[in-house]
């Protein structure tokens, strides 16, 4: 098959010319527009998730030969989580070439973290099937760039870190309250407050409830650690 102009441009952006163009076409096809003759990217996403995990595991071991499993695991999670994959997908304009059904387009599918992250994993799998592991590895390392070297030494989820901070001081786990949700359905904004038993609280706003909770937890933990220095 011949790739459309937008997919040819995308292929150039990621630096991989497909010998089997149908793999790329499938990688960008969402289930909302699939048919018996137009398979979606879900199986590729399943494979790409595993390829990404192997590449990142190897890269982290190489980057820090002295790190323990307890240090490596949170770094790994920070690099492969859906939000990071979506961030990378936006940088290469993946949302612009996704093939979506009308309902998914109207709901802002091209901007959704979950959809973008899944599609990026599908693209990784497509490269793997097209040219092998080394090509997929080169793609991942190139797209993630300095994220691997710059990943926080302690990349634990800020909610987990805040909970551990509270537990170490005999406090119950922090509570999270959704204060509001506004904006259009396809691009909502959540406002969340996190509060500790001692009354300390922080509020944050983000495009997903989970991201708002993480931002609020990060802000509160930073304030608590500075207060106790």
């Amino acid at each position: 098959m011949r790739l459309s102009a937008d997919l040819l441009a995308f292929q150039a952006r990621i630096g991989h010319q497909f010998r089997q163009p149908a793999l790329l076409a499938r990688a960008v096809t969402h289930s909302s527009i699939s048919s018996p003759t137009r398979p979606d990217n879900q199986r590729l996403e399943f494979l790409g998730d595993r390829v990404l995990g192997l590449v990142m595991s190897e890269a982290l071991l190489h980057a820090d030969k002295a790190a323990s499993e307890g240090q490596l695991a949170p770094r790994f999670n920070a690099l492969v989580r859906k939000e990071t994959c979506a961030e990378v997908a936006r940088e290469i304009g993946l949302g612009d070439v996704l093939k979506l059904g009308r309902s998914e387009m109207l709901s802002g599918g091209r901007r959704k973290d979950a959809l973008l992250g899944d599609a990026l994993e599908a693209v990784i799998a497509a490269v793997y099937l097209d040219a092998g592991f080394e090509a997929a590895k080169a793609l991942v390392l190139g797209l993630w760039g300095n994220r691997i070297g710059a990943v926080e030494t302690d990349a634990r989820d800020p909610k987990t870190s805040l909970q551990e901070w509270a537990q170490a001081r005999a406090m119950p786990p922090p509570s999270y309250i959704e204060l509001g949700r506004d904006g259009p359905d396809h691009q909502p904004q959540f406002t969340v407050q996190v509060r500790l038993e001692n009354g300390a609280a922080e509020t944050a706003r983000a495009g997903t409830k989970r991201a708002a909770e993480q931002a609020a937890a990060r802000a509160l933990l930073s304030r608590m650690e500075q207060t106790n220095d």
Side-chain angles (χ1 to χ4, degrees):
M1 68 172 291
R2 297 182 65 180
L3 291 175
S4 59
D6 62 341
L7 286 182
L8 285 172
F10 177 77
Q11 179 178 250
R13 288 199 297 276
I14 66 173
H16 179 81
Q17 185 169 354
F18 281 83
R19 290 176 290 187
Q20 303 174 73
L23 285 169
L24 177 57
R26 181 171 182 174
V28 299
T29 300
H30 187 255
S31 58
S32 62
I33 201 173
S34 65
S35 69
T37 58
R38 190 178 194 175
D40 63 41
N41 62 8
Q42 290 181 333
R43 287 173 61 86
L44 287 177
E45 180 238 322
F46 171 82
L47 175 60
D49 176 64
R50 276 69 187 171
V51 175
L52 173 61
L54 178 56
V55 172
M56 285 303 170
S57 297
E58 183 180 88
L60 287 170
L61 286 173
H62 178 74
D64 188 347
K65 295 179 174 60
S68 67
E69 188 277 339
Q71 292 172 309
L72 292 171
R75 299 177 197 175
F76 174 86
N77 291 335
L79 289 168
V80 304
R81 63 190 177 198
K82 201 66 70 180
E83 292 88 349
T84 304
C85 290
E87 184 179 279
V88 173
R90 290 188 180 94
E91 290 176 356
I92 57 175
L94 179 53
D96 297 336
V97 300
L98 291 180
K99 309 306 177 186
L100 307 173
R102 177 175 171 78
S103 62
E104 195 61 63
M105 283 195 291
L106 291 175
S107 67
R110 298 187 191 280
R111 296 184 295 273
K112 294 178 180 176
D113 279 4
L115 194 151
L116 287 169
D118 289 349
L120 182 61
E121 290 173 346
V123 169
I124 292 169
V127 171
Y128 169 77
L129 292 174
D130 187 63
F133 178 73
E134 289 303 318
K137 176 181 175 180
L139 174 75
V140 170
L141 295 180
L143 293 182
W144 263 253
N146 62 8
R147 287 180 177 85
I148 299 171
V151 69
E152 298 175 20
T153 300
D154 179 4
R156 289 173 298 175
D157 184 300
K159 292 179 64 177
T160 300
S161 297
L162 180 60
Q163 181 168 325
E164 291 177 353
W165 185 94
Q167 289 175 338
R169 290 155 180 79
M171 293 184 189
S175 60
Y176 294 85
I177 305 167
E178 183 180 324
L179 298 179
R181 172 179 173 168
D182 52 41
D185 289 341
H186 67 273
Q187 202 170 10
Q189 288 288 311
F190 295 84
T191 302
V192 171
Q193 182 185 77
V194 59
R195 181 175 293 275
L196 292 170
E197 184 188 42
N198 64 4
E202 285 287 349
T203 301
R205 180 178 167 87
T208 66
K209 185 176 180 180
R210 178 171 181 266
E213 289 176 343
Q214 290 177 320
R218 185 179 297 110
L220 183 53
L221 180 61
S222 177
R223 178 153 68 89
M224 291 297 96
E225 288 179 336
Q226 290 174 6
T227 299
N228 284 269
D229 283 344

